Each structure stands twice: as C-alpha cells, then as structure tokens.
Amino acid sequence: VQLQASGGGLVQAGGSLRLSCAASGIIFRINTMGWYRQAPGKQREIVATIASGGSINYAGSVKGRFTISRDNAKNTVALQMNSLKPEDTAVYYCYGTVSPYSGSTYSTYWGQGTQVTVSS
C-alpha cells in the first residue's frame, strides 16, 4: 500500500491551499484517513481525521478553517485549508488505516509529506 500526497506550496497569510492524498495497492478497506503535520522543531500533531463512515475530528487550531473530505470509491482524502496562518507552516502527512484483504487486520500507512509554507 502506498499513499501519495500532493498540493503543498507557498501561500500568503489568509490564502488557501488544497492537499490531496491517494492510496494505492492491495486495498480491501480503509478505515480512518487523515492528516498530521510537523513544524520545524516540533512534534508531529494531528490536524484532521475522517472515518469511513464520515465521522470527522479537527484539531482546535484548525477548526473552522480547514475541511477534510474523502472519496471512499477512489481511496482518496483531501484537506481544504482556508485562512492560512504562518503557524500553519509545516510538512503535512496523510495517513490511512488499511486492511488489504477481507478479514485481515488494519495497518497504518503514511504518505511522503508535502510542505506547506505560509508567509506573513
């Protein structure tokens, strides 16, 4: 299983970016998908998660500004980021908890990370 993230870049404060992540490989079912981020010198922190049934959770720092969505048929997850702030600058990682076969256990897979830089 591989996850490929895209959509990062440089944007001014107040701007928007959309991150996308596609899972490929042997996939029977994906349970939770989501995004983490890691800023320089800081620990990786959760940004948003979405379960296969649609239940969503956001970090308090992004609630109201970021929107997570997924397409179960395409095994993709997206993160629409609006009203970006310099403190949103980080490498963003997507992940998914994947079961490759019916009845098999779930494992977590990570994308390669995409840089988001917000200038003031």
Side-chain angles (χ1 to χ4, degrees), residues 24-41:
S24 61
I26 300 175
I27 298 171
F28 171 71
R29 183 170 294 155
I30 302 178
N31 188 3
T32 302
M33 302 187 81
W35 296 88
Y36 277 69
R37 67 186 181 186
Q38 187 166 20

Side-chain angles (χ1 to χ4, degrees), residues 12 25 43-44 47 50 54-55 63 77 111:
Q12 288 188 330
Q43 290 189 332
R44 190 176 294 193
V47 177
I50 181 168
S55 177
K63 196 172 293 185
V77 62

Side-chain angles (χ1 to χ4, degrees), residues 25-96:
I26 300 175
I27 298 171
F28 171 71
R29 183 170 294 155
I30 302 178
N31 188 3
T32 302
M33 302 187 81
W35 296 88
Y36 277 69
R37 67 186 181 186
Q38 187 166 20
K42 295 186 177 181
Q43 290 189 332
R44 190 176 294 193
E45 63 176 359
I46 192 167
V47 177
T49 64
I50 181 168
S52 57
S55 177
I56 291 173
N57 286 287
Y58 294 103
S61 59
V62 307
K63 196 172 293 185
R65 300 188 297 121
F66 291 12
T67 302
I68 190 170
S69 60
R70 67 186 283 176
D71 185 328
N72 290 331
K74 296 181 179 180
N75 293 328
T76 59
V77 62
L79 186 68
Q80 177 66 42
M81 305 184 293
N82 298 328
S83 302
L84 282 160
K85 303 176 181 180
E87 51 263 44
D88 295 317
T89 295
V91 178
Y92 284 68
Y93 299 89
C94 63
Y95 81 95

